[in-house]
Amino acid sequence: MTLAIDPSETSESSDTPEASPAPLSDLVARDAREFGVYARTGGWAFGLMVARSVRPGGQGAEETPKVSAKEFAELAGCSPERVMRYYKAWDRAADDGMVPHFEALAPGQEVELPDADVWLSYYVSRNSATSERGTAIAEAAEAEGIRPTKALEVAENPTALRAAILADPSTARAARQALLDRVREDPELQAELARDVVRTDDLKKAVATESRSADRIGYVRQIAESGQVKTPAGQTIEAPADLRQEAERHLSLIDELDEDEDTGEWATEAYDTLKSLVAETVEADPELRVQERRTKFYSSLQKATKAFEELTFDDVQEFVEDDMVQRLEELQQAIASCLTALRGATD
């Protein structure tokens, strides 16, 4: 059975003073202080511990109370390599005047430390950063305005980079741009990438499509910027003002497209429009029209002449067939008719 207790019956407990907080543990207070130091200074706090306790190169054990990096690491329960990374970071910062040099520090000495964010400019958490490859990556990272440690971490884990590219479109775009920047300066990579493209049907088709679009845009740009245009027969003529204006209009529309937008449809429309206008321009000018036909005739004649000159009759008896003779006879008749027409036109 549950008993209901009237609040008035608990007056005795209300008169009891509240319990005072437990005394603050020295261990808790120490943790809080150390946490505060690290929150303000980041890795500088640990760098100072190394800088004031590890003797610099060239100093003997008898000259200083400091210990070697190996001894310090054994006392700390970590690797000498980790200690040396802090040592080298402090050394670089000291060369820049950010902190005192090792020789000016004694065990237990406190100094004013730089902001936590600055530490990342000097500390590199991986041994690979000391290699030629690592140095190049770190320099590239600094040029891009990011921490070298981030770039080194990615470089040391290509599988993670691949996963990010496969899963995230924005990462893939960044990788594509970086690869393009690298390809411009790396002929070997250019050749490898070209081989990959031609061996992959989908990529080969995509490259052909983009190449066609680029050629068409180049055709439009040539008219807009130079004011000259090639006719269907291959003549180069000055583009009329209205044709050039139309080229400029289409080009401005194409240039305003976002980088990731497909230019193929716009390029095709601009190209087809301008080709039609060029043909109309030629037909509208009697002199130009005659010149165009003359140029086309000469072009066809040169191609036919070259094709005939490439015929060889060495050992023809081994493969000659009646059909070959018949075709040549028909060609002879066509040439005779052509000559007759030309001679008649000149009489």
Side-chain angles (χ1 to χ4, degrees), residues 31-63:
D31 282 348
R33 286 194 300 272
E34 291 182 357
F35 179 85
V37 169
Y38 185 77
R40 291 189 302 275
T41 63
W44 292 113
F46 297 125
L48 175 60
M49 295 176 191
V50 172
R52 68 191 182 189
S53 300
V54 175
R55 61 175 178 265
Q59 272 196 344
E62 67 283 354
E63 301 177 49

Side-chain angles (χ1 to χ4, degrees), residues 44 89 92 96 116-124 142 147-148:
W44 292 113
R92 286 191 286 268
D96 287 348
D117 291 344
V118 183
W119 171 255
L120 298 173
S121 302
Y122 296 99
Y123 178 73
V124 179
E142 291 175 357
R147 300 202 308 267

